[in-house]
Amino acid sequence: MKKKGVSPLLAAVLLIAIAIALGAIVSNFLIKEAKKFNPEELAQQSVYCESVNLGYKVNDAEDLCIGHPSGFDILQGVNITNKGSFAIQGFKITAPGFNSRDYPVTNAINPGGGEIIEIQINNDLDDKKIKIVPIVKDLEKNQNIVCADRALIMDYGQLFANPEDQYC
C-alpha cells in the first residue's frame, strides 16, 4: 500500500507561512498594547500618592441637598476631608451624566482638613456614584500629581434618608 503525504518542500512552505501569520498576529497585538502604555501616568503614581486618603462627611444635614441653579442639578453640603499625609491641591470629579473635570480648591486642603464642595450631577440617572480623585503636589518636581488609585467613590443616593427631602 502506497502512502501519500505532503511533499517536504510543501510542508516547509506551509510551516513558514503559519509562522509568519502567527508572528503578524502577535506583533499586531503587542503594538496595540504598547500604544496603550502611558509612562507619564506610571511616573505620576509616585510615593506621594501612597499617603493620600480621602473621606467625606456631612457637617449639617440641613445643608445637604440638590439645588437647581441655572437648570443644573448641584449636590451641595458634602465636606471632602483629607485623611492622608499630604496637602490636596484639587480634585478630578466624575459625576453621573458628566465627563471628568478638574475641581480646584480655594486653598490646599491640609491633612485633617476639609472643604465643602458643590458637584454638578444629573440626578435623573440611576447611577448615583461620584468619583473624586485627589491631586497632590510633587514638591521636588513642582508639578501636580493625579492619584487615580486613591479615588473616593461616593454614592450620593445613600446620603439622603428620605429621597423626597433631597431638593433645596
Side-chain angles (χ1 to χ4, degrees), residues 4-131:
K4 290 193 176 189
V6 180
S7 73
L9 179 61
L10 188 56
V13 170
L14 282 173
L15 283 174
I16 291 172
I18 290 171
I20 289 172
L22 283 174
I25 291 170
V26 169
S27 66
N28 190 25
F29 172 75
L30 291 176
I31 288 170
K32 285 181 182 177
E33 290 300 311
K35 286 180 181 178
K36 290 180 188 176
F37 177 69
N38 185 357
E40 291 174 5
E41 184 178 308
L42 184 62
Q44 284 186 347
Q45 296 295 329
S46 72
V47 178
Y48 288 101
C49 289
E50 292 175 9
S51 297
V52 173
N53 194 7
L54 291 178
Y56 68 92
K57 63 182 177 181
V58 177
N59 292 340
D60 186 357
E62 297 285 324
D63 294 336
L64 179 67
C65 64
I66 297 174
H68 297 285
S70 306
F72 295 108
D73 293 333
I74 304 287
L75 179 64
Q76 303 170 345
V78 177
N79 186 351
I80 303 299
T81 57
N82 182 355
K83 296 181 174 184
S85 302
F86 295 104
I88 295 174
Q89 307 297 318
F91 306 107
K92 278 197 170 299
I93 298 178
T94 306
F98 294 95
N99 292 329
S100 177
R101 60 191 180 282
D102 290 338
Y103 187 96
V105 295
T106 311
N107 296 314
I109 303 172
N110 292 318
E115 180 163 317
I116 297 174
I117 64 173
E118 295 182 349
I119 304 170
Q120 188 174 1
I121 57 173
N122 183 346
N123 200 36
D124 294 333
L125 299 175
D126 290 336
D127 181 16
K128 305 289 187 200
K129 291 190 172 129
I130 298 171
K131 181 178 180 182

Side-chain angles (χ1 to χ4, degrees), residues 153-167:
I153 309 288
M154 177 177 65
D155 186 342
Y156 72 87
Q158 294 179 350
L159 295 175
F160 299 100
N162 184 0
E164 294 156 8
D165 294 339
Q166 67 185 0
Y167 294 102

